[in-house]
Amino acid sequence: MLPTQHKLTSPVQFRRTIKGGKRAGSRTLVVHLHHSGGMQAEAHADLTGHAGPRFGLVVSKAVGNAVVRHRTSRRLRHVCAKLIPEIPAGTDLVIRALPQSGRASSAELERDMRKALRKIWGT
């Protein structure tokens, strides 16, 4: 499970991350990343007590039925939890699952997420 302080919770946070950040995709998902350094990161730390990265998931009906969507969400949350130490504080990420993600394993989802993050960071 992803700790509460690492979750995007409002539509405003999702919108800001998707519209104001960088984006990279892979076969199974699209990652939107918005880094709010400086004062915004400090304000985020004051509100939540922690300045680590925050994640939001978008898993639509295109991924599959409810069982497939929930399984995909659980797998993505697990991948996000593994990435927490590697992502800078003050970073917000929205992960949008593509239809192929419903058939992907956890290892494939993690590989695709790391690939998308490398594209965004240019490494």
Side-chain angles (χ1 to χ4, degrees):
M1 186 53 93
L2 202 56
T4 305
Q5 70 264 23
H6 293 293
K7 293 180 185 179
L8 292 177
T9 56
S10 76
V12 172
Q13 293 169 340
F14 274 80
R15 205 171 16 258
R16 183 189 67 233
T17 303
I18 291 170
K19 296 211 185 282
K22 295 181 180 181
R23 175 184 73 200
S26 67
R27 187 178 64 84
T28 59
L29 47 87
V30 176
V31 176
H32 299 268
L33 184 142
H34 181 263
H35 184 72
S36 57
M39 296 297 286
Q40 286 183 330
E42 290 173 19
H44 173 252
D46 291 342
L47 291 174
T48 63
H50 184 46
R54 296 183 300 178
F55 300 88
L57 302 178
V58 178
V59 184
S60 74
K61 287 185 178 181
V63 173
N65 64 23
V67 173
V68 173
R69 291 193 311 270
H70 287 273
R71 181 180 61 223
T72 302
S73 295
R74 280 193 309 273
R75 287 177 175 172
L76 287 171
R77 280 194 303 270
H78 179 73
V79 170
C80 291
K82 286 175 72 174
L83 292 174
I84 288 172
E86 302 173 28
I87 298 176
T91 302
D92 292 340
L93 294 103
V94 172
I95 296 96
R96 184 167 46 92
L98 298 176
Q100 288 291 326
S101 65
R103 294 183 284 283
S105 68
S106 294
E108 290 171 316
L109 292 172
E110 181 176 355
R111 184 192 67 230
D112 285 352
M113 178 133 17
R114 289 180 184 277
K115 180 180 176 182
L117 288 171
R118 280 193 304 273
K119 284 181 188 178
I120 291 171
W121 287 326
T123 58

